[in-house]
Amino acid sequence: MGQRRYPQCVAREGKPRLRSLEEVVALPRRSSLTAELQRALAAASRLHGLRSDLSPVPVRATATITEAGAYRFRLRDPIDLRVSRVGGRSALGFLHELGHLLDHQIFYDRKTRSWASAVHDAFKPWREAAGLLDKRVLPGGYSRQRYFQSVHEVWARSYAQTVLLRSEDRALLRRLEKLQAEDDAHVWHAQQFAAVAIEVELVFERLGLRQLSLPLAA
């Protein structure tokens, strides 16, 4: 029996440059999720871009019932984003995993394997604001709770909620409002989260990722 091969990482080429998020990820072309993922990606792209040398990171639809999504990577390199089409949480799940991708690609410490949300100076005011949020609790044991409260997980959840909140897309806003009304553990209530949403936006401002350069007319 042959040895199982590790999934291939996304290639890098040239020097990092500021890209729109539509250049950073490649959505599935033929999937029941495509339209909703396009809306979520457009909402995120209106907020910021990413300075990157990566080829587009594939987004793959799955049928898993154990998680809404996953970000797969090896050391500093992405493999893919996975989003479940089961459970009606595809926009939130996609944005959550996109938040992990951004966190990982903005900064990665090879020695400690820390990501930007935990150590980068641009995230410091966000870390302080997020530290004041109520600790949301999931069913499960200590290890699951510890992961759920980790800095990079709180970042991904607050990033996803900020994109939905700032989306100006009625369908996405309704998804967020429904989750808040149900007291879903993956989101915070609007009044408490308002200050954190501002800090999420300011992270990208400090990093110089808010303004994308536009091509000049000939």
Side-chain angles (χ1 to χ4, degrees), residues 149-165:
Q149 306 304 336
S150 64
V151 175
H152 75 273
E153 186 67 11
V154 173
W155 162 257
R157 284 154 47 207
S158 60
Y159 172 79
Q161 184 166 344
T162 299
V163 174
L164 293 177
L165 181 64

mmCIF file with all atom_site columns, all heavy atoms in Angstrom, residues 149-165:
data_model
loop_
_atom_site.group_PDB
_atom_site.id
_atom_site.type_symbol
_atom_site.label_atom_id
_atom_site.label_alt_id
_atom_site.label_comp_id
_atom_site.label_asym_id
_atom_site.label_entity_id
_atom_site.label_seq_id
_atom_site.pdbx_PDB_ins_code
_atom_site.Cartn_x
_atom_site.Cartn_y
_atom_site.Cartn_z
_atom_site.occupancy
_atom_site.B_iso_or_equiv
_atom_site.pdbx_formal_charge
_atom_site.auth_seq_id
_atom_site.auth_comp_id
_atom_site.auth_asym_id
_atom_site.auth_atom_id
_atom_site.pdbx_PDB_model_num
ATOM 1   N N   . GLN A 1 149 ? -11.912 29.782 22.725 1.00 0.00 ? 149 GLN A N   1
ATOM 2   C CA  . GLN A 1 149 ? -11.522 31.060 23.319 1.00 0.00 ? 149 GLN A CA  1
ATOM 3   C C   . GLN A 1 149 ? -10.128 31.508 22.883 1.00 0.00 ? 149 GLN A C   1
ATOM 4   O O   . GLN A 1 149 ? -9.664  32.567 23.313 1.00 0.00 ? 149 GLN A O   1
ATOM 5   C CB  . GLN A 1 149 ? -11.560 30.962 24.855 1.00 0.00 ? 149 GLN A CB  1
ATOM 6   C CG  . GLN A 1 149 ? -12.871 30.482 25.443 1.00 0.00 ? 149 GLN A CG  1
ATOM 7   C CD  . GLN A 1 149 ? -14.076 31.318 25.039 1.00 0.00 ? 149 GLN A CD  1
ATOM 8   O OE1 . GLN A 1 149 ? -13.939 32.486 24.692 1.00 0.00 ? 149 GLN A OE1 1
ATOM 9   N NE2 . GLN A 1 149 ? -15.261 30.718 25.074 1.00 0.00 ? 149 GLN A NE2 1
ATOM 10  N N   . SER A 1 150 ? -9.452  30.739 22.041 1.00 0.00 ? 150 SER A N   1
ATOM 11  C CA  . SER A 1 150 ? -8.108  31.118 21.596 1.00 0.00 ? 150 SER A CA  1
ATOM 12  C C   . SER A 1 150 ? -8.165  32.401 20.773 1.00 0.00 ? 150 SER A C   1
ATOM 13  O O   . SER A 1 150 ? -9.184  32.736 20.167 1.00 0.00 ? 150 SER A O   1
ATOM 14  C CB  . SER A 1 150 ? -7.483  29.989 20.773 1.00 0.00 ? 150 SER A CB  1
ATOM 15  O OG  . SER A 1 150 ? -8.217  29.777 19.577 1.00 0.00 ? 150 SER A OG  1
ATOM 16  N N   . VAL A 1 151 ? -7.050  33.122 20.740 1.00 0.00 ? 151 VAL A N   1
ATOM 17  C CA  . VAL A 1 151 ? -7.020  34.426 20.071 1.00 0.00 ? 151 VAL A CA  1
ATOM 18  C C   . VAL A 1 151 ? -7.373  34.299 18.600 1.00 0.00 ? 151 VAL A C   1
ATOM 19  O O   . VAL A 1 151 ? -8.169  35.084 18.065 1.00 0.00 ? 151 VAL A O   1
ATOM 20  C CB  . VAL A 1 151 ? -5.635  35.088 20.237 1.00 0.00 ? 151 VAL A CB  1
ATOM 21  C CG1 . VAL A 1 151 ? -5.561  36.381 19.427 1.00 0.00 ? 151 VAL A CG1 1
ATOM 22  C CG2 . VAL A 1 151 ? -5.350  35.369 21.695 1.00 0.00 ? 151 VAL A CG2 1
ATOM 23  N N   . HIS A 1 152 ? -6.791  33.320 17.915 1.00 0.00 ? 152 HIS A N   1
ATOM 24  C CA  . HIS A 1 152 ? -7.051  33.245 16.470 1.00 0.00 ? 152 HIS A CA  1
ATOM 25  C C   . HIS A 1 152 ? -8.483  32.816 16.176 1.00 0.00 ? 152 HIS A C   1
ATOM 26  O O   . HIS A 1 152 ? -9.047  33.179 15.136 1.00 0.00 ? 152 HIS A O   1
ATOM 27  C CB  . HIS A 1 152 ? -6.031  32.338 15.769 1.00 0.00 ? 152 HIS A CB  1
ATOM 28  C CG  . HIS A 1 152 ? -6.212  30.886 15.978 1.00 0.00 ? 152 HIS A CG  1
ATOM 29  N ND1 . HIS A 1 152 ? -5.681  30.205 17.041 1.00 0.00 ? 152 HIS A ND1 1
ATOM 30  C CD2 . HIS A 1 152 ? -6.867  29.957 15.236 1.00 0.00 ? 152 HIS A CD2 1
ATOM 31  C CE1 . HIS A 1 152 ? -5.991  28.930 16.947 1.00 0.00 ? 152 HIS A CE1 1
ATOM 32  N NE2 . HIS A 1 152 ? -6.711  28.750 15.878 1.00 0.00 ? 152 HIS A NE2 1
ATOM 33  N N   . GLU A 1 153 ? -9.109  32.103 17.102 1.00 0.00 ? 153 GLU A N   1
ATOM 34  C CA  . GLU A 1 153 ? -10.503 31.722 16.896 1.00 0.00 ? 153 GLU A CA  1
ATOM 35  C C   . GLU A 1 153 ? -11.432 32.911 17.165 1.00 0.00 ? 153 GLU A C   1
ATOM 36  O O   . GLU A 1 153 ? -12.401 33.137 16.428 1.00 0.00 ? 153 GLU A O   1
ATOM 37  C CB  . GLU A 1 153 ? -10.855 30.544 17.805 1.00 0.00 ? 153 GLU A CB  1
ATOM 38  C CG  . GLU A 1 153 ? -12.228 29.961 17.576 1.00 0.00 ? 153 GLU A CG  1
ATOM 39  C CD  . GLU A 1 153 ? -12.399 29.272 16.231 1.00 0.00 ? 153 GLU A CD  1
ATOM 40  O OE1 . GLU A 1 153 ? -11.393 29.053 15.520 1.00 0.00 ? 153 GLU A OE1 1
ATOM 41  O OE2 . GLU A 1 153 ? -13.555 28.962 15.879 1.00 0.00 ? 153 GLU A OE2 1
ATOM 42  N N   . VAL A 1 154 ? -11.143 33.684 18.203 1.00 0.00 ? 154 VAL A N   1
ATOM 43  C CA  . VAL A 1 154 ? -11.931 34.891 18.468 1.00 0.00 ? 154 VAL A CA  1
ATOM 44  C C   . VAL A 1 154 ? -11.781 35.878 17.311 1.00 0.00 ? 154 VAL A C   1
ATOM 45  O O   . VAL A 1 154 ? -12.746 36.538 16.909 1.00 0.00 ? 154 VAL A O   1
ATOM 46  C CB  . VAL A 1 154 ? -11.516 35.525 19.810 1.00 0.00 ? 154 VAL A CB  1
ATOM 47  C CG1 . VAL A 1 154 ? -12.209 36.876 20.015 1.00 0.00 ? 154 VAL A CG1 1
ATOM 48  C CG2 . VAL A 1 154 ? -11.852 34.588 20.969 1.00 0.00 ? 154 VAL A CG2 1
ATOM 49  N N   . TRP A 1 155 ? -10.560 35.972 16.759 1.00 0.00 ? 155 TRP A N   1
ATOM 50  C CA  . TRP A 1 155 ? -10.369 36.835 15.592 1.00 0.00 ? 155 TRP A CA  1
ATOM 51  C C   . TRP A 1 155 ? -11.254 36.389 14.429 1.00 0.00 ? 155 TRP A C   1
ATOM 52  O O   . TRP A 1 155 ? -11.940 37.206 13.809 1.00 0.00 ? 155 TRP A O   1
ATOM 53  C CB  . TRP A 1 155 ? -8.909  36.844 15.145 1.00 0.00 ? 155 TRP A CB  1
ATOM 54  C CG  . TRP A 1 155 ? -8.761  37.353 13.739 1.00 0.00 ? 155 TRP A CG  1
ATOM 55  C CD1 . TRP A 1 155 ? -8.544  36.619 12.612 1.00 0.00 ? 155 TRP A CD1 1
ATOM 56  C CD2 . TRP A 1 155 ? -8.896  38.717 13.301 1.00 0.00 ? 155 TRP A CD2 1
ATOM 57  N NE1 . TRP A 1 155 ? -8.523  37.432 11.504 1.00 0.00 ? 155 TRP A NE1 1
ATOM 58  C CE2 . TRP A 1 155 ? -8.740  38.723 11.897 1.00 0.00 ? 155 TRP A CE2 1
ATOM 59  C CE3 . TRP A 1 155 ? -9.130  39.923 13.963 1.00 0.00 ? 155 TRP A CE3 1
ATOM 60  C CZ2 . TRP A 1 155 ? -8.805  39.892 11.146 1.00 0.00 ? 155 TRP A CZ2 1
ATOM 61  C CZ3 . TRP A 1 155 ? -9.200  41.099 13.208 1.00 0.00 ? 155 TRP A CZ3 1
ATOM 62  C CH2 . TRP A 1 155 ? -9.040  41.073 11.825 1.00 0.00 ? 155 TRP A CH2 1
ATOM 63  N N   . ALA A 1 156 ? -11.242 35.107 14.101 1.00 0.00 ? 156 ALA A N   1
ATOM 64  C CA  . ALA A 1 156 ? -12.017 34.619 12.960 1.00 0.00 ? 156 ALA A CA  1
ATOM 65  C C   . ALA A 1 156 ? -13.503 34.881 13.154 1.00 0.00 ? 156 ALA A C   1
ATOM 66  O O   . ALA A 1 156 ? -14.210 35.277 12.216 1.00 0.00 ? 156 ALA A O   1
ATOM 67  C CB  . ALA A 1 156 ? -11.758 33.127 12.745 1.00 0.00 ? 156 ALA A CB  1
ATOM 68  N N   . ARG A 1 157 ? -13.993 34.686 14.368 1.00 0.00 ? 157 ARG A N   1
ATOM 69  C CA  . ARG A 1 157 ? -15.407 34.935 14.642 1.00 0.00 ? 157 ARG A CA  1
ATOM 70  C C   . ARG A 1 157 ? -15.734 36.422 14.566 1.00 0.00 ? 157 ARG A C   1
ATOM 71  O O   . ARG A 1 157 ? -16.767 36.818 14.007 1.00 0.00 ? 157 ARG A O   1
ATOM 72  C CB  . ARG A 1 157 ? -15.779 34.365 16.008 1.00 0.00 ? 157 ARG A CB  1
ATOM 73  C CG  . ARG A 1 157 ? -15.935 32.850 15.991 1.00 0.00 ? 157 ARG A CG  1
ATOM 74  C CD  . ARG A 1 157 ? -15.684 32.193 17.334 1.00 0.00 ? 157 ARG A CD  1
ATOM 75  N NE  . ARG A 1 157 ? -16.359 32.853 18.431 1.00 0.00 ? 157 ARG A NE  1
ATOM 76  C CZ  . ARG A 1 157 ? -15.918 32.821 19.693 1.00 0.00 ? 157 ARG A CZ  1
ATOM 77  N NH1 . ARG A 1 157 ? -14.801 32.181 20.001 1.00 0.00 ? 157 ARG A NH1 1
ATOM 78  N NH2 . ARG A 1 157 ? -16.592 33.427 20.642 1.00 0.00 ? 157 ARG A NH2 1
ATOM 79  N N   . SER A 1 158 ? -14.867 37.259 15.104 1.00 0.00 ? 158 SER A N   1
ATOM 80  C CA  . SER A 1 158 ? -15.145 38.697 15.066 1.00 0.00 ? 158 SER A CA  1
ATOM 81  C C   . SER A 1 158 ? -14.976 39.253 13.651 1.00 0.00 ? 158 SER A C   1
ATOM 82  O O   . SER A 1 158 ? -15.701 40.172 13.248 1.00 0.00 ? 158 SER A O   1
ATOM 83  C CB  . SER A 1 158 ? -14.278 39.456 16.071 1.00 0.00 ? 158 SER A CB  1
ATOM 84  O OG  . SER A 1 158 ? -12.911 39.297 15.818 1.00 0.00 ? 158 SER A OG  1
ATOM 85  N N   . TYR A 1 159 ? -14.052 38.691 12.876 1.00 0.00 ? 159 TYR A N   1
ATOM 86  C CA  . TYR A 1 159 ? -13.909 39.104 11.477 1.00 0.00 ? 159 TYR A CA  1
ATOM 87  C C   . TYR A 1 159 ? -15.177 38.766 10.694 1.00 0.00 ? 159 TYR A C   1
ATOM 88  O O   . TYR A 1 159 ? -15.724 39.612 9.973  1.00 0.00 ? 159 TYR A O   1
ATOM 89  C CB  . TYR A 1 159 ? -12.697 38.414 10.842 1.00 0.00 ? 159 TYR A CB  1
ATOM 90  C CG  . TYR A 1 159 ? -12.603 38.651 9.355  1.00 0.00 ? 159 TYR A CG  1
ATOM 91  C CD1 . TYR A 1 159 ? -12.099 39.845 8.858  1.00 0.00 ? 159 TYR A CD1 1
ATOM 92  C CD2 . TYR A 1 159 ? -13.052 37.693 8.449  1.00 0.00 ? 159 TYR A CD2 1
ATOM 93  C CE1 . TYR A 1 159 ? -12.041 40.081 7.484  1.00 0.00 ? 159 TYR A CE1 1
ATOM 94  C CE2 . TYR A 1 159 ? -12.991 37.919 7.083  1.00 0.00 ? 159 TYR A CE2 1
ATOM 95  C CZ  . TYR A 1 159 ? -12.481 39.115 6.606  1.00 0.00 ? 159 TYR A CZ  1
ATOM 96  O OH  . TYR A 1 159 ? -12.441 39.352 5.253  1.00 0.00 ? 159 TYR A OH  1
ATOM 97  N N   . ALA A 1 160 ? -15.656 37.539 10.826 1.00 0.00 ? 160 ALA A N   1
ATOM 98  C CA  . ALA A 1 160 ? -16.853 37.121 10.094 1.00 0.00 ? 160 ALA A CA  1
ATOM 99  C C   . ALA A 1 160 ? -18.048 37.992 10.464 1.00 0.00 ? 160 ALA A C   1
ATOM 100 O O   . ALA A 1 160 ? -18.812 38.430 9.589  1.00 0.00 ? 160 ALA A O   1
ATOM 101 C CB  . ALA A 1 160 ? -17.151 35.651 10.384 1.00 0.00 ? 160 ALA A CB  1
ATOM 102 N N   . GLN A 1 161 ? -18.209 38.273 11.748 1.00 0.00 ? 161 GLN A N   1
ATOM 103 C CA  . GLN A 1 161 ? -19.344 39.088 12.172 1.00 0.00 ? 161 GLN A CA  1
ATOM 104 C C   . GLN A 1 161 ? -19.224 40.514 11.648 1.00 0.00 ? 161 GLN A C   1
ATOM 105 O O   . GLN A 1 161 ? -20.220 41.124 11.239 1.00 0.00 ? 161 GLN A O   1
ATOM 106 C CB  . GLN A 1 161 ? -19.461 39.093 13.699 1.00 0.00 ? 161 GLN A CB  1
ATOM 107 C CG  . GLN A 1 161 ? -20.689 39.859 14.197 1.00 0.00 ? 161 GLN A CG  1
ATOM 108 C CD  . GLN A 1 161 ? -21.004 39.584 15.651 1.00 0.00 ? 161 GLN A CD  1
ATOM 109 O OE1 . GLN A 1 161 ? -20.514 38.611 16.232 1.00 0.00 ? 161 GLN A OE1 1
ATOM 110 N NE2 . GLN A 1 161 ? -21.823 40.423 16.259 1.00 0.00 ? 161 GLN A NE2 1
ATOM 111 N N   . THR A 1 162 ? -18.016 41.057 11.621 1.00 0.00 ? 162 THR A N   1
ATOM 112 C CA  . THR A 1 162 ? -17.818 42.414 11.112 1.00 0.00 ? 162 THR A CA  1
ATOM 113 C C   . THR A 1 162 ? -18.171 42.503 9.633  1.00 0.00 ? 162 THR A C   1
ATOM 114 O O   . THR A 1 162 ? -18.829 43.455 9.193  1.00 0.00 ? 162 THR A O   1
ATOM 115 C CB  . THR A 1 162 ? -16.363 42.863 11.337 1.00 0.00 ? 162 THR A CB  1
ATOM 116 O OG1 . THR A 1 162 ? -16.082 42.862 12.736 1.00 0.00 ? 162 THR A OG1 1
ATOM 117 C CG2 . THR A 1 162 ? -16.121 44.261 10.781 1.00 0.00 ? 162 THR A CG2 1
ATOM 118 N N   . VAL A 1 163 ? -17.747 41.528 8.851  1.00 0.00 ? 163 VAL A N   1
ATOM 119 C CA  . VAL A 1 163 ? -18.064 41.549 7.419  1.00 0.00 ? 163 VAL A CA  1
ATOM 120 C C   . VAL A 1 163 ? -19.572 41.484 7.206  1.00 0.00 ? 163 VAL A C   1
ATOM 121 O O   . VAL A 1 163 ? -20.129 42.239 6.393  1.00 0.00 ? 163 VAL A O   1
ATOM 122 C CB  . VAL A 1 163 ? -17.357 40.399 6.682  1.00 0.00 ? 163 VAL A CB  1
ATOM 123 C CG1 . VAL A 1 163 ? -17.820 40.339 5.224  1.00 0.00 ? 163 VAL A CG1 1
ATOM 124 C CG2 . VAL A 1 163 ? -15.846 40.570 6.743  1.00 0.00 ? 163 VAL A CG2 1
ATOM 125 N N   . LEU A 1 164 ? -20.257 40.607 7.923  1.00 0.00 ? 164 LEU A N   1
ATOM 126 C CA  . LEU A 1 164 ? -21.711 40.538 7.794  1.00 0.00 ? 164 LEU A CA  1
ATOM 127 C C   . LEU A 1 164 ? -22.351 41.865 8.203  1.00 0.00 ? 164 LEU A C   1
ATOM 128 O O   . LEU A 1 164 ? -23.254 42.368 7.526  1.00 0.00 ? 164 LEU A O   1
ATOM 129 C CB  . LEU A 1 164 ? -22.262 39.404 8.657  1.00 0.00 ? 164 LEU A CB  1
ATOM 130 C CG  . LEU A 1 164 ? -21.893 37.974 8.243  1.00 0.00 ? 164 LEU A CG  1
ATOM 131 C CD1 . LEU A 1 164 ? -22.454 36.980 9.248  1.00 0.00 ? 164 LEU A CD1 1
ATOM 132 C CD2 . LEU A 1 164 ? -22.383 37.652 6.842  1.00 0.00 ? 164 LEU A CD2 1
ATOM 133 N N   . LEU A 1 165 ? -21.875 42.437 9.299  1.00 0.00 ? 165 LEU A N   1
ATOM 134 C CA  . LEU A 1 165 ? -22.435 43.676 9.825  1.00 0.00 ? 165 LEU A CA  1
ATOM 135 C C   . LEU A 1 165 ? -22.254 44.845 8.862  1.00 0.00 ? 165 LEU A C   1
ATOM 136 O O   . LEU A 1 165 ? -23.138 45.690 8.709  1.00 0.00 ? 165 LEU A O   1
ATOM 137 C CB  . LEU A 1 165 ? -21.766 43.995 11.166 1.00 0.00 ? 165 LEU A CB  1
ATOM 138 C CG  . LEU A 1 165 ? -22.217 45.250 11.901 1.00 0.00 ? 165 LEU A CG  1
ATOM 139 C CD1 . LEU A 1 165 ? -23.683 45.142 12.309 1.00 0.00 ? 165 LEU A CD1 1
ATOM 140 C CD2 . LEU A 1 165 ? -21.331 45.482 13.128 1.00 0.00 ? 165 LEU A CD2 1
#
